[in-house]
Amino acid sequence: MMETVNLEAVVADVLASTQVIDIHTHLFAPGFGSLGLWGIDHLLTYHYLEAELFRSSPIRPEQYWMLTIEQRADLIWKTLFVENNPISEATRGVIAVLHAFGLDTSSITLTPYRDFFNEQNLPDHLARVFQLAGIESVVMTNDPLDPEESPLWDSVTVDPRFQAALRLDRLLNQETPPTPAEARRFLETWATRMRAVYMAVSLPDSFQFPAHDRRSQLLTEAVLPACRDLNIPLSLMIGVRRQVNPAIGLAGDASGCADLRSIETLCREFPDNRFLVSVLSRENQHELCVYARKFANLMPFGCWWFLNNPSMVEEITRERLEMLGTSFIPQHSDARILEQVIYKWRNTRRTLAPVLANAYRLLAEDGGTVMRADIERDVQRLFRTNFQTFTS
Ligand code: FIX
Ligand code: ZN
């Protein structure tokens, strides 16, 4: 058994050496061409940073949207990195990425960073990013109704490090929705074509199931049967309040507390379906753990979006460990820009190390034995096999 003083170092080492499967991102395999975003201008115009820009610069959204992407990135760099210290989670992430590539992070202009990214070729850069992030593979977000994405599926060769997830938001929100039978056929065709590892939808805080609406009907008669036929889970991301401030685009979404009785109903009434669930409000986290104790077909995952901050990840992960042991998926990156996986997974590992070490310290104090191999087994579950088992 190991000394408790060593625990945190051993846990950190195991976390560092375990390759993650990143179960929800907005990244694309290289075969999707310009849909896959990378490089400094995209890193700086991430919507998390745009939200912060408008708090520290007098520019108005409508003026901002008239700029080119390079001008936007210049303005964000000047405002959030030169005139202010980048201590927020999202700004610090850019610094961590530049530092990981060995770049000096104190340049006043973006020229050295643009030069660096322009010199990279995507295949080598991609391999380096995955290695720096300690990830083995990522799951994309694939919308068959996206007019830019869907034609590409006819000819694309998908890099095996990128798995598909069939995103349902557009299908479920269409103005002239298909009949359930049409929707079910559509989903089965696309899930098979994409080799989707799950289907996914984001839902508002007002989500209710069952309800007398099209969404409930399509879920019951198309989505859930299709998932059962294909033997894949449905991922529900609940609690997003879209476009509370439309002027700032993607940055204009907010969060709200949801009624998780819908999850209770789904898990109980559809025992042959499996549900990956992430909730956006802090207030819903404990309840989600309670439901996971009731239903083995419910897999809580990730600390989504506004929760992906050290203070929230620490609290939520501790709660999950206490209530669920290692039977959950602690995090996903939600990366939209390739290099973000470097800082997001670095931060996750850094936050998880003391939380996990503390759980082992308590176990040791209570008379349990903790060997490195035990820690390795747990981290394997958290970072990899809980997802693999749940999707196979
Ligand atoms: O719905 C989602 O998958 C969200 O994660 C995104 O739409 C959101 O904009 C985001 O990037 C959050 O991290
Ligand atoms: Zn997402």
Side-chain angles (χ1 to χ4, degrees):
M1 191 172 116
M2 84 186 63
E3 300 282 327
T4 44
V5 282
N6 280 335
L7 259 176
E8 192 165 330
V10 174
V11 169
D13 191 53
V14 172
L15 287 168
S17 53
T18 308
Q19 297 287 298
V20 172
I21 301 174
D22 190 345
I23 79 154
H24 169 60
T25 76
H26 297 263
L27 302 178
F28 283 94
F32 291 91
S34 62
L35 288 185
L37 305 181
W38 61 286
I40 190 65
D41 291 299
H42 289 298
L43 283 167
L44 286 170
T45 52
Y46 185 33
H47 66 76
Y48 289 30
L49 295 177
E50 290 175 332
E52 293 175 32
L53 169 73
F54 295 117
R55 303 195 53 73
S56 294
S57 160
I59 194 164
R60 301 190 59 89
E62 55 277 21
Q63 298 171 299
Y64 176 80
W65 299 119
M66 284 168 60
L67 304 177
T68 64
I69 180 172
E70 289 82 8
Q71 290 171 325
R72 294 176 193 175
D74 286 337
L75 177 64
I76 291 179
W77 182 256
K78 173 171 149 302
T79 306
L80 298 179
F81 295 79
V82 179
E83 295 172 353
N84 288 283
N85 274 325
I87 57 172
S88 72
E89 179 75 4
T91 51
R92 190 161 42 73
V94 177
I95 298 296
V97 167
L98 298 176
H99 184 69
F101 290 118
L103 297 165
D104 174 357
T105 60
S106 63
S107 172
I108 303 291
T109 73
L110 295 179
T111 311
Y113 312 133
R114 290 193 175 123
D115 290 346
F116 169 79
F117 285 103
N118 282 335
E119 281 162 18
Q120 309 306 312
N121 73 69
L122 188 54
D124 294 344
H125 184 59
L126 183 68
R128 186 174 179 196
V129 168
F130 272 46
Q131 193 256 326
L132 286 168
I135 57 177
E136 177 186 279
S137 60
V138 303
V139 180
M140 305 178 281
T141 295
N142 304 99
D143 178 355
L145 292 174
D146 179 337
E148 283 186 62
E149 179 181 344
S150 66
L152 301 176
W153 281 99
D154 289 335
S155 54
V156 74
T157 319
V158 185
D159 182 316
R161 290 170 293 182
F162 292 76
Q163 294 182 292
L166 201 175
R167 185 75 174 220
L168 306 172
D169 290 43
R170 231 183 275 223
L171 179 79
L172 295 186
N173 294 325
Q174 274 186 117
E175 273 174 26
T176 43
T179 67
E182 281 164 0
R184 184 170 171 177
R185 264 198 311 281
F186 177 85
L187 291 173
E188 299 202 341
T189 307
W190 273 98
T192 308
R193 178 176 304 162
M194 294 173 168
R195 310 178 75 214
V197 287
Y198 61 78
M199 295 192 200
V201 62
S202 78
L203 296 160
D205 59 336
S206 57
F207 173 60
Q208 289 290 344
F209 184 94
H212 293 289
D213 59 17
R214 286 293 288 172
R215 184 165 55 207
S216 257
Q217 192 191 7
L218 284 174
L219 280 174
T220 309
E221 296 174 31
V223 176
L224 292 168
C227 285
R228 287 196 298 273
D229 279 356
L230 296 154
N231 194 25
I232 56 175
L234 173 62
S235 167
L236 303 170
M237 305 175 73
I238 308 171
V240 54
R241 301 185 54 232
R242 295 282 181 202
Q243 297 297 284
V244 304
N245 183 3
I248 60 172
L250 279 181
D253 297 342
S255 82
C257 193
D259 178 359
L260 293 194
R261 281 165 212 235
S262 305
I263 293 298
E264 171 186 327
T265 307
L266 283 164
C267 291
R268 189 183 50 238
E269 303 303 322
F270 298 91
D272 297 325
N273 281 96
R274 299 188 299 284
F275 301 93
L276 285 156
V277 177
S278 207
V279 283
L280 193 51
S281 102
R282 180 191 189 182
E283 289 68 25
N284 278 143
Q285 299 303 326
H286 183 262
E287 236 181 316
L288 179 64
C289 291
V290 174
Y291 282 126
R293 295 178 61 88
K294 310 301 124 192
F295 299 107
N297 59 341
L298 169 58
M299 178 64 81
F301 79 93
C303 300
W304 181 22
W305 202 340
F306 312 111
L307 300 169
N308 191 358
N309 300 313
S311 60
M312 292 292 101
V313 174
E314 187 185 325
E315 170 183 297
I316 294 166
T317 308
R318 180 177 302 152
E319 189 170 64
R320 289 174 175 173
L321 285 169
E322 288 167 351
M323 294 179 78
L324 305 171
T326 53
S327 66
F328 66 97
I329 297 168
Q331 192 55 304
H332 65 271
S333 76
D334 233 312
R336 283 178 177 264
I337 323 300
L338 175 64
E339 298 86 357
Q340 289 174 338
V341 290
I342 298 171
Y343 88 80
K344 292 193 184 234
W345 283 107
R346 174 187 164 86
N347 292 357
T348 293
R349 286 184 169 96
R350 179 166 54 195
T351 305
L352 255 48
V355 173
L356 268 176
N358 189 54
Y360 297 125
R361 189 182 55 76
L362 295 174
L363 173 59
E365 277 177 22
D366 288 344
T369 49
V370 184
M371 313 289 279
R372 185 184 170 103
D374 302 318
I375 299 173
E376 285 171 351
R377 185 181 56 189
D378 289 349
V379 175
Q380 282 286 324
R381 276 196 74 174
L382 295 168
F383 275 9
R384 305 175 55 85
T385 52
N386 284 338
F387 179 69
Q388 288 170 325
T389 311
F390 208 68
T391 49
S392 62

